[in-house]
Amino acid sequence: MDDVDVAAGPDDLDDEVAAAPASVPASDPADPDADPDAGPSGAAAPPATGTLSAERLATKALEQRLLGGERKLRRREVAAGAGLSLLSARKLWRALGFPNLGDEDVAFTEKDQTALNTVVDLVRTGKLTEEAAISVTRAIGQMTDRMVVWQIEALVEDMVHQQGVSDAVARKRLVNLLPSLVDALEEMLVYSWRRQLNAGVQRLAVRAEAGLASSEEGREGDEDDAPLPLARAVGFADLVSYTSLSRRMNEKTLAQLVQRFENKCAEIISVGGGRLVKTVGDEVLYIAETPAAGAEISLALSQAFNEDEILPQARVAMVWGRILSRLGDIYGPTVNLAARLTALADPGTVLVDSMTAAALEEDERFVLLPRPAENVRGFGEILPVQLQRGSGKGLVLD
């Protein structure tokens, strides 16, 4: 958006044509927003029978509701309407995860024009830099993409289970179910975003300095993570023998296991005041604001998997240190060390490093059992410490 104050001109268009990859037709299956009845140019192609099937009519009606109207605009028209070169507009569309479209594809609605104007105005008024606008836009695109995939699969799975239909039939029926859910899902999305934004401000801005101050004890100031801006307890929980189990399971059973694992982790981490950063297959990454909170979550996770009648045991590790938070993920030596310790943990146990153990040693809720030194790749010799429950009940789940 380096040229947000001017409309696209001939030079911009020539550059764009030269730089653009081959366009994807609006009807291409790779385009998740493609009009199912659109031809190569984006115009609706008449069906062979002269009338649309009920299924296609329902799909078109749902699309118009979700997109805010019919597709009437081409990409150059939307870019010009925002006073942007096509190149700049495409930066934002790509950040949102939109597929590439050709000049003649009628793929956009007036809502697309409004959304583009909204982002451009933030830059023009100086509220965001171009770089920040693209980063924020990419966050929205990536998170909503993952969210809708999750929601669709959950609805399909529920229909398969409740209605006794095949997966393919459930996916077709979803088109008729969604219109009754759109408003409620949108309302919950906005509500949750506001709550999460408030919590994030408190966690990442208001209390950040206090967290750094509390992490000073026992540090020399020359540690690898010293320059990083946030102090957090970083933990991993890794299911034991997940790969061999998954090979023996059918699709339905594996889906149930993964969902049970994610639900149990999310519940425990939330109750413990932590945040689930991400789940990757059989492993979950989480953080907490204090070493004690991280320890409580870690012990609760280990206990939950030890007692679960379906899920296998888990290896759990937690490290108190400093991290960098970017792109919804976390980075730094603390994260790497926690991952290495997880691999060293015995099934059903929790490991911490010596510095984390020092931060917990005066807390009667925890028992710390030193283990023999280990040579850890990237860290040299470290002193793992097994964390066990001391006094108190630990986390209580409703």
Side-chain angles (χ1 to χ4, degrees), residues 103-263:
D103 285 340
E104 298 308 313
D105 292 325
V106 182
F108 297 96
T109 71
E110 292 180 357
K111 286 285 189 180
D112 293 302
Q113 181 72 78
T114 301
L116 187 60
N117 286 336
T118 297
V119 180
V120 171
D121 286 345
L122 290 173
V123 177
R124 285 181 174 150
T125 57
K127 294 178 181 177
L128 292 177
T129 63
E130 177 185 349
E131 183 179 0
I134 291 176
S135 183
V136 168
T137 301
R138 182 171 290 113
I140 294 170
Q142 290 185 5
M143 294 301 104
T144 52
D145 172 71
R146 183 170 188 264
M147 180 188 68
V148 297
V149 170
W150 187 335
Q151 291 176 337
I152 288 172
E153 296 299 342
L155 293 171
V156 168
E157 183 181 358
D158 186 66
M159 284 191 285
V160 169
H161 179 71
Q162 297 296 332
Q163 301 176 18
V165 298
S166 68
D167 184 90
V169 170
R171 292 179 190 278
K172 290 183 178 180
R173 290 186 181 180
L174 182 67
V175 175
N176 295 313
L177 172 65
L178 277 176
S180 65
L181 299 177
V182 168
D183 290 341
L185 292 177
E186 183 177 17
E187 184 176 335
M188 285 301 297
L189 171 61
V190 175
Y191 161 76
S192 177
W193 175 78
R194 288 180 175 273
R195 294 285 300 189
Q196 295 288 2
L197 182 60
N198 178 68
V201 168
Q202 298 297 319
R203 185 175 65 246
L204 297 171
V206 176
R207 297 195 295 266
E209 187 175 352
L212 284 176
S214 68
S215 71
E216 289 293 343
E217 187 174 349
R219 298 171 65 94
E220 301 294 332
D222 58 353
E223 293 81 7
D224 290 342
D225 65 344
L228 301 183
L230 294 173
R232 291 291 185 270
V234 177
F236 282 92
D238 184 13
L239 287 180
V240 176
S241 303
Y242 170 82
T243 302
S244 60
L245 280 172
S246 62
R247 289 173 180 167
R248 301 196 300 267
M249 294 178 177
N250 59 33
E251 178 183 343
K252 181 178 179 180
T253 306
L254 179 59
Q256 290 174 340
L257 182 143
V258 171
Q259 186 170 337
R260 186 180 184 92
F261 171 61
E262 289 197 2
N263 289 347

Side-chain angles (χ1 to χ4, degrees), residues 224 340 375-380:
D224 290 342
R340 301 282 191 272
N375 194 6
V376 176
R377 179 167 56 89
F379 293 91

Side-chain angles (χ1 to χ4, degrees), residues 55-74:
E55 182 180 314
R56 286 179 175 264
L57 284 172
T59 301
K60 289 180 72 68
L62 177 61
E63 177 183 275
Q64 289 188 18
R65 181 174 176 186
L66 293 175
L67 301 188
E70 292 186 21
R71 300 171 185 258
K72 298 179 179 179
L73 301 173
R74 296 171 175 81

